[in-house]
Amino acid sequence: MATLRDIKRRIKSVKNTQQITKAMKMVSAAKLRRAEEEIKAARPYAQKMKEVLGRLVSRQEGFEHPLLKAKEVIEKREIIVFTAERGLCGGFNSNIIKAAESKIRESLEEEVPVSLTLIGRKGISYFSKRGLEVRATYPNPGRVDYPWAARLGETMIDAFTKGEVDEIYMVFAEFRSVLIQRPVVTRLLPVETGGLGAEEGGGDYIFEPSDRGILNELLPKYVNIQIYTAFLESIASEHGARMTAMDSATNNASEMIARLTLHYNRARQAAITKELMDIVNGVEAMRKRSA
Amino acid sequence: MDKVHLEVVTPKGIVVSEDVEDLVAPGLVGEFGVLPGHAFMMAALKMGRLSYQKDGRRYSLFVSSGYAEVDQEKAILLVEEAIKAEDIDVGALRAEKGEVEERLRSTRPEDEAYQDLLSRLERLTIMEEIAG
């Protein structure tokens, strides 16, 4: 049986752990709030961009643009995987990795070779040992700024237009709520026009320089904003997942402390009873002898 | 209707949302002005100065390339970056510009970084002009 001192030591160590998980939860909560604000701030731009592109594309029957055109034969599929830099965030990283793996498996079954762009240390360390082609790796900067996303967008557009890859997908965690983050797989390039929502003709517009000219300008920006929002979602999800994980860790620690304290008190009581019995026995024995 | 509702939207949020008397935007094929009652228009924008008048005062912004949509009562600009003239840190700007110019002198046109430096310099020059 554990001695009193052993139990006391365990309680202390669990308490220490609890302090850490509590602090981590609080830090994640603060970061999550910031990430949510950034998502909200980006929404009008992303929304409007989608709307405008939808309107322009639907006006243009048979319009061909390198970023819109699906290749007839897919010879290479690029998958961008957004993971976190660190663990301790529940199933966040493994869910993303699982989703990415199933996309990879699907591609290989179609006999389409896959290359990867990995963001975040967790994804990098997992996939770099899997014998897959890794085109690029980036550490997860933790906080995204738009220029970062735009640079990645440029790299992707470049690879796509040069024909190095024929399709580009993104795998990231979509932020639903603090409790729910869903891994999603979306196509980045060629740009999906189906989801843009075609609008009615919109009457007579003046176009400067021309509707095609505007589309040329906007399509790359649309790719950028998609990467940017995927990134924001992924970061918010990470903090949400970590917050939830740390919250339940803190609760578990509380439970464990309660259980250990009960043990401790029982053991203490048993020890006292035993001592008392010893004393009483001793006194009884002495009394008998003197009698 | 004697006002245009101007909205400047960036990925970081809405930078301007105001009723203005007029505005001048840097179109891809040349500057254009917008007064209340303007015809429907969609335009591509290039990096430059967006200026508008409100209550008789003129305001300027630095905007990156993007898109503008105008109708009779509003003008919506989608740009990747927008900074109000008064928010431009001229000191930091000059320092950065000096550094870019310095690096440009030691870079040859065929170097990979050359184009990048040139476009940075252009951006900084435009910003300086707007701030000053």
Side-chain angles (χ1 to χ4, degrees):
Chain A
M1 209 197 122
T3 66
L4 276 181
R5 199 186 298 173
D6 283 341
I7 300 177
K8 210 168 188 176
R9 206 175 286 145
R10 290 246 353 243
I11 292 178
K12 210 172 157 198
S13 108
V14 174
K15 268 189 182 150
N16 276 338
T17 310
Q18 192 189 29
Q19 297 252 302
I20 295 167
T21 57
K22 215 185 241 168
M24 280 181 77
K25 183 193 149 193
M26 249 126 80
V27 170
S28 291
K31 284 185 175 168
L32 173 64
R33 213 172 308 128
R34 208 162 51 194
E36 273 185 301
E37 268 161 30
E38 279 171 341
I39 290 181
K40 247 178 240 153
R43 216 168 269 155
Y45 181 88
Q47 201 61 41
K48 189 77 200 158
M49 186 67 112
K50 219 172 184 173
E51 214 180 285
V52 172
L53 270 186
R55 205 178 310 157
L56 286 169
V57 170
S58 65
R59 285 177 60 95
Q60 303 260 328
E61 276 304 320
F63 173 66
E64 287 197 355
H65 187 280
L67 297 185
L68 288 172
K69 196 167 184 279
K71 308 268 173 79
E72 271 157 34
V73 188
I74 310 294
E75 281 172 7
K76 190 59 151 290
R77 186 173 283 156
E78 175 82 7
I79 300 175
I80 310 175
V81 187
F82 293 89
T83 55
E85 219 35 32
R86 286 180 300 149
L88 290 179
C89 43
F92 176 80
N93 288 309
S94 54
N95 285 342
I96 293 295
I97 286 170
K98 233 182 276 164
E101 282 230 296
S102 83
K103 186 73 197 165
I104 293 169
R105 212 173 313 120
E106 191 190 303
S107 298
L108 295 180
E109 273 162 19
E110 292 169 29
E111 297 187 358
V112 178
V114 168
S115 59
L116 300 172
T117 292
L118 302 169
I119 297 157
R121 199 169 57 86
K122 287 288 163 179
I124 297 171
S125 66
Y126 181 87
F127 283 109
S128 52
K129 292 176 230 142
R130 289 294 184 281
L132 292 157
E133 184 193 335
V134 178
R135 278 170 53 86
T137 60
Y138 303 92
N140 189 328
R143 276 200 83 177
V144 246
D145 49 343
Y146 186 79
W148 194 97
R151 268 200 303 281
L152 183 60
E154 232 167 77
T155 318
M156 288 300 145
I157 290 172
D158 206 41
F160 183 75
T161 46
K162 275 186 189 151
E164 288 168 21
V165 294
D166 303 313
E167 268 188 342
I168 303 178
Y169 281 84
M170 293 193 288
V171 182
F172 63 95
E174 188 187 50
F175 182 78
R176 286 290 183 79
S177 71
V178 181
L179 290 171
I180 305 166
Q181 302 90 29
R182 206 167 53 99
V184 288
V185 182
T186 57
R187 195 175 79 193
L188 181 68
L189 282 168
V191 171
E192 301 243 32
T193 49
L196 291 174
E199 215 179 285
E200 76 289 348
D204 286 328
Y205 275 97
I206 304 170
F207 291 101
E208 265 205 39
S210 63
D211 40 6
R212 291 184 180 212
I214 295 174
L215 209 47
N216 275 334
E217 283 289 308
L218 284 191
L219 275 169
K221 294 186 170 49
Y222 181 65
V223 172
N224 292 349
I225 186 71
Q226 276 196 300
I227 294 180
Y228 183 66
T229 39
F231 218 124
L232 290 180
E233 296 267 341
S234 169
I235 283 177
S237 298
E238 178 192 336
H239 294 312
R242 181 166 295 124
M243 207 179 123
T244 317
M246 288 303 112
D247 186 48
S248 58
T250 308
N251 289 342
N252 286 347
S254 297
E255 241 170 66
M256 199 178 237
I257 290 168
R259 224 175 34 237
L260 284 173
T261 312
L262 191 69
H263 262 303
Y264 176 78
N265 286 339
R266 268 202 201 128
R268 191 173 58 101
Q269 225 163 31
I272 291 170
T273 313
K274 212 179 124 211
E275 258 171 52
L276 268 177
M277 265 162 69
D278 278 352
I279 293 168
V280 172
N281 276 345
V283 171
E284 279 302 308
M286 281 200 321
R287 198 183 282 161
K288 260 183 205 152
R289 199 180 301 161
S290 62
Chain B
M1 199 59 194
D2 57 347
K3 294 247 166 133
V4 186
H5 184 70
L6 169 67
E7 222 159 84
V8 180
V9 186
T10 74
K12 287 219 174 288
I14 296 170
V15 179
V16 178
S17 174
E18 267 173 316
D19 289 325
V20 303
E21 283 125 38
D22 75 67
L23 63 105
V24 180
L28 190 66
V29 285
E31 258 186 4
F32 61 86
V34 175
L35 288 167
H38 196 282
F40 291 100
M41 179 174 80
M42 292 181 173
L45 301 176
K46 67 172 186 202
M47 192 192 294
R49 179 202 294 263
L50 166 73
S51 74
Y52 61 90
Q53 183 167 304
K54 196 193 174 217
D55 302 328
R57 253 197 79 189
R58 267 212 104 66
Y59 298 86
S60 281
L61 271 90
F62 167 82
V63 293
S64 70
S65 63
Y67 163 85
E69 194 176 288
V70 180
D71 67 20
Q72 300 201 317
E73 47 207 49
K74 62 180 189 296
I76 297 169
L77 272 70
L78 289 182
V79 289
E80 296 188 303
E81 197 186 2
I83 310 168
K84 290 183 179 166
E86 65 265 29
D87 293 340
I88 296 174
D89 181 348
V90 184
L93 190 81
R94 295 230 167 94
E96 196 184 340
K97 195 178 164 198
E99 183 203 325
V100 171
E101 276 169 341
E102 186 65 38
R103 279 180 56 195
L104 211 49
R105 263 194 289 278
S106 57
T107 320
R108 281 164 307 151
E110 54 272 28
D111 286 347
E112 212 175 289
Y114 191 77
Q115 277 308 318
D116 196 42
L117 286 171
L118 266 191
S119 56
R120 268 179 73 188
L121 185 64
E122 190 200 348
R123 177 172 173 273
L124 294 169
T125 311
I126 295 173
M127 274 175 86
E128 194 180 11
E129 216 179 277
I130 291 167

